[in-house]
Every structure is written in structure tokens, then in C-alpha cells.
Amino acid sequence: MMQAGGLPHVLAAPATDPTLSDFNQLIWWMVLLKVAMVFLFLLLSTMFMIWAERRAIGRMQNRPGPNRAGPFGLLQPVADALKLPLKEDIIPLGADKLVFIAAPVISGAIAFISFAVIPWGPEVSIFHHHTPLQLADLPVAVLLILAMSSIGVYGIVLAGWSSGSPYSLLGALRSAAQVISYEIAMGLAFVAVFLYAGSLSTTAIVNAQQHEWYAWLLPVSFVIYLVTMVGETNRLPFDLPEGELVAGYHTEYSSMKFAMFYLGEYINMITVSALATTMFLGGWRAPWPLSLWSGANSGWWPLLWFLIKVYILLFCFIWLRGTLPRVRYDQLMAIGWKVLIPVSIVWILLIATVRAWRLDTHSTAPYVVFGFVIVLILVLAWMWDSAAQQRAARYAAAETADVSEAGQAVAIGPDTHFPVPPMDLPHYHGVDLGGAPGLDVGLSHTETSSREVTGA
């Protein structure tokens, strides 16, 4: 092809850093192709994640894990995917059928939508068409992900309510409270990134990390997000609703409806890992020293760096599950409301002050705000210490208090904050049980206590 001046026309090289305007020129079949790529990637990653989790935790617990279905058990997720549709689909008699069916659909669909604004790489050539490796982008793309997470809470609450079971309802309320609590801290962790990047677009945030990742510039925000993404996905050590109340909000679900919840949980893990990569780990950009190579951040190579970062974070989910025990529910909520949110607010004030000082060094306002923040931190630390001393004094007084006349006093330990029932209740020794089978009511207190402890 020749230009008007007789010079040969050369196709322009694809831009390394996409912008929002690049998404206005996509043709319809390219959009459908990207949708199919995202869908297949999430399904295949979920299958790989299920196999890797069972295999890795098996090694951590000194057992082989899946090793029968295919080489190294690689076909075990395929066997599970074939088994679930063949299970009996049970709907409880007291359930609201329409809502009961809609709840898993909401949870599964929302999980897929959230990944749409995640960038996987720069602008590349697909069938001779230059296009960004990203399905879509918005000026407020990160808010879209937070909004989808909020809508996902509806799937949890509706599943528990529509089942007609008190266990499912309590599990749904606990899960909803947990997700909402940690979603607040997650949103606050993003504020510092927005202040540095100057945009809520995921593409712009990745472009802003060209020279330095936000994981190093904003370490507090990064650590807070790592904690909140575990709580947001109901994974160990924060899977309290499922661990304490049978299976939580999806206790009454089976077959493909349960598979939708199962699929949504693992896709959410992939989404929050990809979001952590985008917001704090440079997105698809190559890490040092690979970044010294001139072609590391062009072509299809960035897709490899993006996948490596995501799978490393997914392995951390497996590592946590095989290492840490569950925390109590009061500890779970205390971490979110009493630690993560206050620390996030103070950190945002500091970051905003630093950014204002760098952008406007001639004004005294940043210095006033910085001084106010320091005073606020000192006051909060003093109040925290005073409250801790008062709690310690109350616990010391409670320990020295006399027990009640009936011997049923509740002991409150200084470290547990939880009521502990006395261990000398009559039914522990077979007293006043009406001769229940397997219990020797005629035994003396000493003999029964001996049998209870030693098993003799």
C-alpha cells in the first residue's frame, strides 16, 4: 500500500500503554472473543486451583492428595465437574423456590463480571487488529469491582433466607456481616492508590506504576488489602460462617446450585488476586530485573508476568489454608472494625498530607494538616492504651470475685473475652439424667470424674 507521496505505508506499532480511548474502537467480534477468553481462563484457572489446592495441602499434611484420576490426579477436577450435575437436585419444602434458584445465579454471574475490567497486558495484535488485552475499562473501573462485590452479598443473604433453615439464615447473616465489614477496609486500602495514580481506571493505575510498584510506595495499603481479600472471599482463617454452622448459607444446596457457589468462591479468589496484581504489583509489567529487557513489557510477554503474579497470590491462599487455624467470630470482626479500618483512615490522612505537600510546597495548609494528623495519632494511641488498662483492671477484678451461690458463675478470662461455662455441671457426671443409656448414675462423683478423664 502506497501513501499519497509515494512512500510505503507502515502499520504503526502497537502502543505499550493503553488508554481509555483504545476501548472505543473495538469491533463486535473482538469483544466476543475477549469474553470467551475471560470465561475460559476463569473456568480453567478454577479447575487448576482446585487440583493445586488439594494436592498442595495434601503434601503439607503428609498425604498424597488426589492421585488416582489421571497422572498426578490432574483429572480430579474434571471428575468433580462431571459428578456435580449428576447429583440429586434437592429443594427444601419450606424454601422460596424462585429466590432459592436465583441466589446461586447471582453469586456466580457477579463473580464473572468483576474480572471484566482487569488488564492482562498491553496493546497487542490479534488477527491484524490492535487491541488492549482487557475486556473493558471505565473511568471508575475499580468502583465497578467494589459494586459487584456488594451485589454478591445479595446472593449470600437470599440463599440463607430462601432455604427456610435457621442454620442457613444465621450463616448468611454472618457471611454478609463479614463481607461488608472487610469490603469497607478494602475500599479504604484503594484510596491511597487513587491519590497516587490520580485515576480510578485500572489501565491508568497500571500505567502509573511504570517506574515503581505501589506495593513498595504504599506498603500499609498493600498489607491491609492482602488481609481484606482473604476475609472478602470467606477463606481460612476467616471462613467462620461455614466452619461453625454446618456449611453456612449454602447448607441446603446441592448439585449445580451448590456448584455455582463453589465456582463463585474460586473465581472471587482469582479476581481479588488479579486486582492485587493490578493495584499494587505493577499489573502486567515485568518485575526487576526482567524489566531491564526492552521487550519485557511489549507483545504477549506481559501476559506471562501477569499470570505468574496472580498464581503466586493464589498459592498464598492455599498456604494459609494449610497453615493457620480459624479465628473466633468476635476476633474476625474485631480485626476488621478495630484494626484495619482505623489504620486505613490514619494512613489515608498521612498519604493525603504527603501528596498535598509534594504538589503545593508554597502553602502552609499541608503542614497544618500534617500536624493535625500527628496529634490525632497520639490522641488515638493514648485512648487505646487507657482503654486497655481499664479492661485489664476489670478482668483482674472479675478474677478475684466470688462465685455465685449455685456454683454457676461464668468465668471471663482476660484473654478470651468469651464466657466459659463451668466444668462441674451435674450432667457431666450423669446426675439427674433419668438413667440415660450409657451413663452409670450410681457412680460417685470421684469415680465418674475419673472415667470421664481417663476413659477407664
Side-chain angles (χ1 to χ4, degrees):
M1 182 181 297
M2 303 294 291
Q3 291 181 342
L7 297 177
H9 176 72
V10 181
L11 290 176
T16 303
D17 297 333
T19 60
L20 284 172
S21 60
D22 296 326
F23 295 91
N24 298 329
Q25 305 171 3
L26 299 180
I27 53 180
W28 64 269
W29 61 264
M30 183 67 69
V31 176
L32 294 180
L33 178 62
K34 291 184 179 182
V35 170
M37 291 172 58
V38 171
F39 185 77
L40 290 176
F41 167 73
L42 292 177
L43 287 183
L44 294 177
S45 296
T46 298
M47 296 177 64
F48 170 77
M49 182 65 181
I50 294 173
W51 170 84
E53 183 173 22
R54 298 175 66 179
R55 190 79 177 179
I57 292 180
R59 293 299 182 182
M60 292 177 183
Q61 298 173 349
N62 197 22
R63 55 184 178 83
N67 61 351
R68 291 289 187 268
F72 305 104
L74 285 171
L75 296 180
Q76 187 64 48
V78 179
D80 294 338
L82 294 176
K83 176 186 67 176
L84 282 172
L86 301 178
K87 289 280 189 178
E88 182 180 2
D89 189 4
I90 300 174
I91 298 179
L93 291 177
D96 187 318
K97 292 185 179 180
L98 179 61
V99 181
F100 189 82
I101 296 173
V105 176
I106 293 174
S107 297
I110 292 303
F112 280 99
I113 295 175
S114 300
F115 204 86
V117 296
I118 300 294
W120 333 316
E123 190 172 310
V124 297
S125 177
I126 301 179
F127 300 121
H128 307 291
H129 290 274
H130 295 159
T131 179
L133 275 179
Q134 184 176 353
L135 178 56
D137 197 11
L138 300 168
V140 290
V142 181
L143 295 186
L144 172 66
I145 298 177
L146 295 176
M148 292 300 103
S149 176
S150 301
I151 296 177
V153 178
Y154 284 92
I156 295 175
V157 175
L158 293 177
W161 175 81
S162 63
S163 298
S165 168
Y167 292 107
S168 299
L169 181 58
L170 291 175
L173 294 178
R174 287 190 169 194
S175 295
Q178 173 180 335
V179 172
I180 293 173
S181 301
Y182 279 77
E183 186 179 350
I184 295 173
M186 178 182 289
L188 291 176
F190 291 154
V191 173
V193 176
F194 301 154
L195 291 175
Y196 264 82
S199 175
L200 278 70
S201 164
T202 51
T203 300
I205 291 173
V206 173
N207 295 341
Q209 300 178 72
Q210 181 176 1
H211 302 291
E212 192 169 8
W213 295 355
Y214 288 148
W216 317 125
L217 288 176
L218 307 169
V220 176
S221 297
F222 182 51
V223 172
I224 291 174
Y225 177 78
L226 292 180
V227 177
T228 57
M229 77 178 190
V230 179
E232 186 79 6
T233 53
N234 277 331
R235 296 281 299 183
L236 271 167
F238 297 151
D239 65 336
L240 271 299
E242 296 182 17
E244 292 184 357
L245 297 169
V246 193
Y249 56 91
H250 52 67
T251 299
E252 305 295 339
Y253 282 88
S254 59
S255 189
M256 284 303 296
K257 297 183 182 64
F258 171 78
M260 291 297 293
F261 285 116
Y262 196 67
L263 181 66
E265 176 181 333
Y266 278 87
I267 292 179
N268 284 332
M269 292 167 55
I270 300 171
T271 301
V272 296
S273 299
L275 187 59
T277 300
T278 302
M279 302 292 289
F280 297 99
L281 299 179
W284 42 262
R285 297 188 179 278
W288 186 89
L290 293 175
S291 58
L292 300 178
W293 172 35
S294 59
N297 292 324
S298 60
W300 290 88
W301 285 107
L303 180 60
L304 177 61
W305 319 138
F306 175 78
L307 294 178
I308 290 175
K309 296 175 186 178
V310 170
Y311 287 139
I312 289 176
L313 292 174
L314 289 175
F315 174 75
C316 292
F317 277 104
I318 301 175
W319 197 356
L320 289 176
R321 180 174 179 178
T323 305
L324 297 180
R326 291 188 180 100
V327 298
R328 291 199 317 265
Y329 194 78
D330 63 317
Q331 294 174 334
L332 167 70
M333 300 302 288
I335 292 173
W337 288 99
K338 296 182 179 180
V339 178
L340 298 180
I341 293 178
V343 171
S344 297
I345 294 175
V346 174
W347 175 250
I348 291 171
L349 291 175
L350 289 174
I351 292 299
T353 303
V354 172
R355 291 295 294 170
W357 175 69
R358 289 184 176 180
L359 296 176
D360 187 6
T361 58
H362 302 288
S363 176
T364 59
Y367 298 97
V368 174
V369 175
F370 183 77
F372 173 75
V373 170
I374 295 299
V375 172
L376 179 61
I377 293 175
L378 295 177
V379 171
L380 291 176
W382 174 78
M383 294 175 60
W384 185 284
D385 183 68
S386 300
Q389 293 180 2
Q390 293 176 4
R391 286 195 302 268
R394 288 197 301 268
Y395 295 144
E399 286 182 344
T400 57
D402 296 331
V403 296
S404 63
E405 295 180 358
Q408 304 293 328
V410 176
I412 302 179
D415 296 326
T416 61
H417 300 210
F418 236 63
V420 180
M423 301 305 296
D424 58 347
L425 294 177
H427 69 267
Y428 286 147
H429 312 297
V431 179
D432 295 332
L433 293 181
L439 291 174
D440 191 352
V441 183
L443 288 176
S444 65
H445 177 82
T446 306
E447 291 174 345
T448 311
S449 299
S450 175
R451 287 187 58 179
E452 177 186 354
V453 175
T454 63

